[in-house]
């Protein structure tokens, strides 16, 4: 694969930069690792779809590395490039020096973006909603919307291909009908030419008989002999021309039969392609419907979480008001307590004075 990717820079000069960067990497030793690094740099450059389209368009180049029945060598390779265009909206910033690109990387876990149906819509008033859960739901919603847009683009592309194939099929059927009519007319002309050839053969036989008779009476009438010889030469010329026309008609008939067989074969292939495309369209529609249901469930979960957040905000505001009221009561209590302390001190001083007076 690395040998194939190095050929992209011959068709697009923008690929020469990333190819040179991959060659200069000291942490990558194998060809597979360099191919992985090249793909990551193409993602950061947002031109992976363009580079793959170059490979798909150059069938002779990829024929050395892929089997004829491979996906990239078939008509579906164009759809693959169309799907990769959606990656251009993602800003990729990948580190190549610290990763082990020579070994096969593990499978990417997408379970964080998909949730179970039974986890959505639970009525738990004591559930604590965190900002991380909201971000997860939003990421899930964005992921499903992106998948939905890609599926919609695939549906439109398949519909356009089906329409073009149906139009081509209709045109080929019209050509087939026209060719059948032409073959019928050619067969009719062939039969007429055969009849004319038979007539000319009969005339030639008659001319031979007449020539033999003329030879018998050659000495009697030389002028008639010359006339008969001229007629005989004319008949021979006409016979040779008819034989040439007959030969040409036979060749044209054989060519038309071969063209009819090729057209019928092409029509059957187009019909099989249309059937397969329709089945793919139905599958994509079902996947699109599932994505719509998941999107609705995510929106429902998001509204549920937002309602809980609003309720918690209202409770927070009420608790803040209560705390403010308690602070005010505490201040008032401290003031009353300090006033009671002063009154108590005055009363004690008075009691002391009264006791001193009584002692005196």
């Amino acid at each position: 694969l690395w040998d194939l990717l190095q050929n992209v820079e011959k068709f697009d000069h923008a690929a020469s930069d990333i190819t040179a960067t991959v060659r200069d990497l000291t942490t990558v030793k194998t060809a597979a690792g360099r191919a992985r690094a090249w793909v990551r740099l193409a993602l950061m450059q947002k031109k992976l779809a363009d580079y793959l389209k170059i490979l798909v368009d150059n069938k002779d180049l990829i024929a050395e590395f892929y089997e004829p029945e491979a996906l990239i060598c078939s008509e579906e390779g164009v759809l693959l490039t169309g799907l990769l265009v959606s990656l251009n909206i993602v800003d990729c910033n990948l580190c190549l020096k610290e990763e082990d690109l020579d070994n096969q990387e593990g499978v990417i876990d997408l379970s964080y973006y998909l949730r179970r149906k039974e986890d959505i819509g639970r009525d738990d008033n004591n559930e604590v909603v965190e900002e991380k859960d909201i971000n997860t739901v939003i990421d899930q919603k964005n992921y499903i919307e992106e998948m939905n847009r890609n599926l919609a683009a695939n549906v439109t592309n398949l519909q356009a291909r089906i329409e073009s194939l149906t139009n081509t099929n209709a045109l080929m059927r019209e050509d087939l009908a026209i060719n059948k009519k032409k073959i019928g007319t050619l067969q009719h002309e062939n039969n007429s030419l055969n009849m004319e050839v038979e007539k000319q053969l009969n005339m030639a036989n008659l001319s031979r008989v007449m020539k033999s008779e003329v030879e018998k009476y050659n000495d009697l009438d030389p002028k008639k002999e010359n006339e008969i010889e001229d007629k005989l030469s004319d008949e021979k010329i006409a016979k040779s021309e008819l034989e040439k026309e007959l030969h040409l008609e036979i060749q044209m008939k054989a060519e038309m039969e071969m063209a009819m067989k090729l057209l019928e074969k092409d029509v059957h292939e187009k019909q099989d392609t249309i059937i397969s495309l329709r089945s793919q369209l139905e599958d994509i529609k079902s996947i699109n419907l599932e994505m719509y249901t998941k999107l609705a469930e995510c929106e429902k979960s998001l509204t549920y979480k937002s309602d809980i957040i609003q309720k918690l905000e209202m409770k927070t505001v009420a608790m803040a008001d209560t705390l403010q009221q308690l602070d005010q009561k505490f201040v008032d209590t401290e003031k009353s307590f300090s006033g009671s302390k002063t009154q108590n001190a005055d009363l004690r001083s008075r009691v002391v004075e009264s006791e001193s007076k009584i002692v005196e």
Side-chain angles (χ1 to χ4, degrees):
L1 183 59
W2 169 239
D3 295 334
L4 176 62
L5 296 177
Q6 289 184 93
N7 294 321
V8 178
E9 62 181 356
K10 298 178 182 178
F11 303 95
D12 192 347
H13 295 290
S16 59
D17 296 333
I18 62 174
T19 306
T21 303
V22 172
R23 291 195 188 103
D24 295 336
L25 287 176
T26 58
T27 57
V28 182
K29 305 297 182 183
T30 61
R34 296 187 187 279
R36 295 187 185 103
W38 191 92
V39 170
R40 283 164 172 76
L41 289 173
L43 280 173
M44 289 190 282
Q45 201 178 16
K46 294 186 179 181
K47 296 195 69 176
L48 181 61
D50 299 334
Y51 297 152
L52 187 62
K53 188 176 185 301
I54 291 172
L55 296 177
V56 172
D57 293 339
N58 292 276
K59 301 292 185 182
D60 297 334
L61 182 62
I62 61 177
E64 300 177 1
F65 301 93
Y66 289 95
E67 297 292 334
E69 61 272 9
L71 176 63
I72 195 171
C73 296
S74 64
E75 296 180 356
E76 305 294 333
V78 180
L79 294 177
L80 180 61
T81 57
L83 291 174
L84 290 176
V85 173
S86 60
L87 293 175
N88 294 337
I89 65 172
V90 181
D91 294 329
C92 297
N93 188 8
L94 305 174
C95 182
L96 301 179
K97 294 182 179 179
E98 297 179 358
E99 292 186 6
D100 186 11
L101 298 176
D102 292 332
N103 298 320
Q104 182 69 33
E105 190 173 351
V107 180
I108 299 173
D109 188 10
L110 298 178
S111 61
Y112 298 104
Y113 296 96
L114 299 175
R115 301 181 63 193
R116 296 181 302 173
K117 293 182 179 180
E118 55 266 20
D119 293 336
I120 298 174
R122 290 183 176 178
D123 295 331
D124 190 0
N125 295 325
N126 296 324
E127 183 180 0
V128 178
V129 179
E130 297 180 357
E131 186 178 358
K132 184 177 178 181
D133 296 334
I134 301 299
N135 293 330
T136 303
V137 173
I138 292 172
D139 291 338
Q140 181 183 0
K141 180 181 177 183
N142 294 331
Y143 174 75
I144 293 175
E145 287 178 351
E146 183 64 27
M147 290 292 293
N148 193 10
R149 283 194 292 269
N150 293 331
L151 291 173
N154 290 334
V155 168
T156 54
N157 292 328
L158 289 174
Q159 287 177 350
R161 287 188 64 189
I162 288 172
E163 290 177 358
S164 64
L165 288 173
T166 50
N167 294 328
T168 306
N169 194 9
L171 293 174
M172 293 181 70
R173 285 181 179 176
E174 291 178 358
D175 293 337
L176 185 62
I178 292 168
N179 290 324
K180 285 182 178 179
K181 290 181 180 178
K182 288 182 179 179
I183 289 171
T185 55
L186 289 173
Q187 288 177 352
H188 182 69
E189 290 178 358
N190 191 10
N191 294 327
S192 63
L193 287 172
N194 289 325
M195 293 175 67
E196 289 181 0
V197 168
E198 290 178 357
K199 289 180 181 179
Q200 293 297 327
L201 291 173
N202 294 326
M203 291 295 292
N205 293 325
L206 289 173
S207 65
R208 289 175 184 174
V209 173
M210 289 175 68
K211 186 176 180 181
S212 62
E213 291 179 356
V214 167
E215 288 177 353
K216 290 179 182 179
Y217 299 99
N218 188 14
D219 296 333
L220 297 175
D221 195 358
K223 293 182 180 179
K224 291 182 178 180
E225 181 181 357
N226 295 326
E227 291 177 357
I228 290 170
E229 288 179 353
D230 294 334
K231 289 181 181 179
L232 183 60
S233 63
D234 294 335
E235 292 294 333
K236 287 181 178 179
I237 293 169
K239 179 182 176 182
S240 63
E241 290 178 353
L242 287 173
E243 287 178 352
K244 290 180 180 178
E245 290 180 357
L246 179 62
H247 185 66
L248 291 173
E249 291 293 333
I250 291 170
Q251 289 181 352
M252 290 176 64
K253 181 180 178 182
E255 291 177 357
M256 291 298 293
E257 289 178 354
M258 183 61 68
M260 285 287 294
K261 290 180 181 179
L262 293 174
L263 284 173
E264 288 178 355
K265 184 178 178 181
D266 199 4
V267 167
H268 290 304
E269 290 178 355
K270 296 293 183 183
Q271 287 178 351
D272 295 336
T273 306
I274 289 171
I275 292 170
S276 63
L277 287 173
R278 284 179 178 172
S279 63
Q280 290 179 6
L281 183 61
E282 294 296 331
D283 294 336
I284 289 173
K285 284 182 179 178
S286 62
I287 294 171
N288 195 4
L289 182 60
E290 291 179 359
M291 289 297 176
Y292 272 121
T293 54
K294 289 181 180 179
L295 181 62
E297 291 173 354
C298 290
E299 289 179 350
K300 182 179 178 182
S301 176
L302 186 61
T303 53
Y304 174 72
K305 299 289 186 181
S306 60
D307 292 337
I308 293 175
I309 289 172
Q310 290 178 358
K311 290 179 181 179
L312 289 173
E313 287 178 352
M314 293 174 63
K315 289 181 179 179
T316 304
V317 172
M319 289 176 69
D321 294 335
T322 305
L323 288 173
Q324 188 176 3
Q325 292 176 2
L326 289 173
D327 289 336
Q328 187 65 35
K329 288 181 180 179
F330 182 72
V331 171
D332 295 337
T333 305
E334 285 184 346
K335 289 181 179 179
S336 62
F337 182 70
S338 61
S340 62
K341 278 185 177 181
T342 54
Q343 289 179 2
N344 193 6
D346 293 336
L347 288 174
R348 283 184 179 178
S349 61
R350 290 179 184 177
V351 169
V352 172
E353 289 177 358
S354 61
E355 286 180 353
S356 61
K357 288 180 180 180
I358 291 170
V359 171
E360 292 176 356

